[in-house]
DNA sequence: CATTTCACCTGGTGGC
DNA sequence: TGCCACCAGGTGAAAT
């Protein structure tokens, strides 16, 4: 399931392959649930715009888009005295849900089942959104009418130690549930919650507000380490995650507890235990995690 | 208000 | 072999 490292990998891959290209036209499916902006309006709004940059914010992929017409473009450029780059005046926001993928393909590549969006680009390539389980969402924002996209919570790789401690202060819910709450931290899902708690030696059912300053310091460091290593390895290919080129990641081979129920702990050989927490399968070592 | 539960989805798995 | 109940989980709304 795409979490921070997987979304980061996809955003970087898409950026590398489509930055600077213009959208010729867009095709969208008509399954209403997939679209935060109605598909017809979205397709119309995207056509003709240049993709200026693609980046990750939390678990979202944000495509910054330039103005539609050359006149509009000149107007925006002249407003920003001396700026060389075109300023974005719209955004296309992609959330991958559980099974979504964003692929840069040739137009001849077979169209996968559950393809919900196809953007034809000036280079001849296509940007495709595929999502079998349909938990993903597509949204268009015109920046003169709507604010630019902002994640709800803090970025786990940017937050300071002090702010990290402050996030959990007084909270009664489990640390696992807190890590999954996107209003606190953006980008952590089930895999990296379990893996970071193992590396920090903290039981997932501990109350967030009861953790000591030292424990939260360890947790923050474990998160940084595990997220950065996962990004380096192109994410975890469990379920059907692939990057923008359709290739697998490698971090699934580094999982120490996630989906290793009953297998020996890599550190102490105690069988990994699985419980349900926050409505999610939760994996931990009963000996290493206190 | 804080927290928990549930519905939304489909493909893959395991039991019979 | 075929069928089906069941499970996976990100998110937001509803319930507690």
């Amino acid at each position: 399931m795409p979490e921070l490292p997987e979304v980061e990998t996809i955003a970087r891959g898409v950026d590398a392959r489509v930055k600077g290209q213009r959208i010729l036209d867009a095709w969208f499916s008509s399954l209403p649930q997939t679209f935060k902006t109605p598909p017809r309006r979205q397709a119309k709004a995207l056509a003709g715009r240049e993709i200026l940059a693609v980046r990750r914010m939390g678990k979202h992929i944000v495509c910054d888009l330039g103005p539609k017409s050359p006149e509009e473009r000149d107007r925006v450029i002249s407003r920003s005295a001396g700026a060389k780059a075109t300023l974005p005046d719209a955004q296309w926001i992609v959330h991958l849900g559980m099974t979504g993928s964003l692929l840069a393909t040739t137009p001849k590549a077979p169209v996968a089942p559950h393809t919900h969006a196809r953007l034809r680009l000036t280079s001849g390539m296509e940007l495709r959104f595929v999502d079998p389980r349909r938990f993903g969402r597509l949204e268009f924002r015109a920046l003169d009418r709507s604010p630019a996209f902002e994640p709800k919570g803090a970025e786990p790789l940017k937050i300071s130690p002090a702010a990290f401690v402050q996030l959990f202060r007084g909270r009664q819910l489990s640390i696992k549930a807190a890590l999954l709450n996107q209003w606190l931290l953006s980008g952590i899902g089930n895999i990296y919650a379990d893996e970071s708690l193992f590396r920090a030696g903290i039981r997932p059912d501990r109350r967030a507000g009861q953790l000591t300053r030292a424990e939260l310091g360890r947790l923050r460091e474990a998160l940084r380490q595990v997220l950065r290593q996962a990004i380096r390895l192109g994410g975890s290919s469990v379920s059907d995650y692939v990057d923008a080129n359709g290739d697998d990641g490698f971090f699934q081979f580094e999982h120490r507890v996630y989906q290793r129920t009953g297998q020996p702990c890599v550190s102490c050989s105690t069988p990994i235990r699985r419980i349900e927490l926050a409505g999610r399968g939760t994996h931990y070592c009963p000996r290493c995690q206190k």
Side-chain angles (χ1 to χ4, degrees):
Chain A
M1 38 275 7
E3 305 176 26
L4 188 152
E6 290 77 28
V7 180
E8 178 74 32
T9 301
I10 291 174
R12 287 181 187 178
V14 172
D15 184 74
R17 309 212 25 195
V18 310
K19 195 213 290 273
Q21 294 180 36
R22 197 170 286 276
I23 300 164
L24 289 174
D25 53 32
W27 170 90
F28 287 81
S29 73
S30 53
L31 290 162
Q33 194 213 106
T34 302
F35 304 96
K36 276 186 113 169
T37 311
R40 283 165 177 262
R41 187 145 68 82
Q42 201 162 156
K44 199 177 166 188
L46 287 175
R49 292 182 187 275
E50 183 186 348
I51 301 172
L52 302 175
V54 181
R55 61 215 160 93
R56 176 195 65 79
M57 298 184 84
K59 287 180 194 169
H60 296 258
I61 298 168
V62 178
C63 304
D64 288 320
L65 305 172
K68 266 198 163 204
S69 65
E71 306 80 58
E72 190 80 8
R73 179 198 165 102
D74 291 341
R75 203 161 55 76
V76 174
I77 289 175
S78 65
R79 254 207 314 262
S80 56
K84 287 173 202 143
T86 308
L87 293 178
D89 75 344
Q91 290 179 328
W92 191 45
I93 300 148
V94 178
H95 192 283
L96 299 170
M98 262 199 66
T99 56
S101 52
L102 194 61
L103 296 162
T105 71
T106 64
K108 286 185 177 174
V111 178
H114 308 292
T115 297
H116 296 112
R118 298 174 68 180
L119 276 57
R120 291 202 310 138
L121 308 175
T122 39
S123 66
M125 279 193 346
E126 284 192 16
L127 195 53
R128 296 180 183 175
F129 175 69
V130 182
D131 183 17
R133 222 162 287 184
R134 309 217 300 265
F135 284 6
R137 293 290 181 274
L138 301 178
E139 178 185 3
F140 175 85
R141 286 196 195 195
L143 296 181
D144 56 348
R145 303 175 63 222
S146 312
F149 178 83
E150 287 289 343
K152 297 175 292 189
E155 280 288 341
L157 293 174
K158 291 184 180 164
I159 190 169
S160 70
F164 191 84
V165 169
Q166 198 61 30
L167 279 184
F168 303 103
R169 197 167 187 181
R171 297 196 175 270
Q172 299 296 304
L173 79 177
S174 66
I175 185 62
K176 162 87 181 223
L179 287 174
L180 293 177
N181 183 343
Q182 303 297 299
W183 290 89
L184 299 176
L185 289 168
S186 290
I188 300 166
N190 211 31
I191 296 172
Y192 299 101
D194 283 4
E195 291 297 321
S196 60
L197 286 167
F198 174 79
R199 283 159 174 79
I202 298 167
R203 284 209 191 209
D205 59 354
R206 295 273 304 281
R207 289 184 189 275
Q210 301 290 98
L211 295 178
T212 65
R213 198 171 284 267
E215 286 173 323
L216 287 174
R218 288 206 320 265
L219 179 56
R220 177 177 166 278
E221 281 303 326
L223 264 173
R224 293 167 68 83
Q225 185 242 320
V226 79
L227 292 173
R228 284 201 289 233
Q229 190 191 358
I231 291 170
R232 215 162 41 237
L233 295 181
S236 300
S237 284
V238 297
S239 167
D240 35 20
Y241 162 75
V242 289
D243 68 16
N245 298 322
D247 297 327
D248 282 349
F250 296 96
F251 192 73
Q252 65 276 19
F253 303 116
E254 305 296 325
H255 292 176
R256 297 183 188 168
V257 287
Y258 181 74
Q259 285 185 347
R260 291 195 64 245
T261 310
Q263 296 177 47
C265 169
V266 294
S267 164
C268 76
S269 299
T270 303
I272 297 302
R273 192 172 292 173
R274 182 188 187 282
I275 58 174
E276 180 156 322
L277 214 51
R280 296 290 171 265
T282 299
H283 316 76
Y284 71 101
C285 171
R287 184 159 167 201
C288 294
Q289 293 175 254
K290 313 281 183 198

